[in-house]
Amino acid sequence: VSLATSTDKATSAERKVGPAMARGALCRCPHCGEGRLFRAYLKVVDQCDVCGEEFHMHRADDLPPYVAIFIVGHLLVGVMLHLDMVWKAAPMVYLSVLLPLAIILPMLMLPSIKGSIVGLQWAMRMHGFAGRSGEKMGQ
Ligand SMILES: [Zn+2]
């Protein structure tokens, strides 16, 4: 007699990290790639509308902003060096170009970064994705 539940079957299936992260980066469900992953700007849906996969147990926490700052910081250092070394730009040009970019670029990137991190956690069965469906871990 098998005591395996549908949850056990779902958690024992192979989950490929690359496709799950790519689907998450497109703000789609890491499992089916069709349902929406976010119900608001950065609010992850509790459950996929299409396949029913649960996402309320994700723990992306501070990693998405960390990754966004890391990427944007490196981009803007390049822009800043270019402004200084090639165009000899005035200080007001730095303020008018770099400040808006430092605010807008992370905001544009955050949903895709958070989606790919939720996809990574889902594929690797990290945190609440390890099993015990329905048990909320954190937020
Ligand atoms: Zn789905």
Side-chain angles (χ1 to χ4, degrees), residues 29 31-35 48 50-53 55:
C29 165
H31 184 222
C32 67
E34 290 180 29
C48 175
V50 177
C51 69
E53 190 70 40
F55 295 105

Side-chain angles (χ1 to χ4, degrees), residues 91-119:
M92 278 310 289
V93 175
Y94 288 86
L95 276 179
S96 60
V97 172
L98 295 180
L99 211 56
L101 284 178
I103 294 168
I104 292 166
L105 287 178
M107 292 182 75
L108 292 175
M109 292 177 182
L110 268 172
S112 289
I113 293 171
K114 184 168 183 175
S116 64
I117 288 167
V118 171

Side-chain angles (χ1 to χ4, degrees), residues 5 7 12 16 24-25 31-32 40 43 46 51 57 63 65 67 73 77-80 94 96-97 108 114 121 130 135:
T5 63
T7 304
S12 63
K16 288 193 160 61
H31 184 222
C32 67
K43 299 264 186 220
D46 288 340
C51 69
M57 62 285 242
L63 186 56
V67 172
V77 163
V79 172
M80 200 163 70
Y94 288 86
S96 60
V97 172
L108 292 175
K114 184 168 183 175
Q121 293 183 343
E135 183 180 312

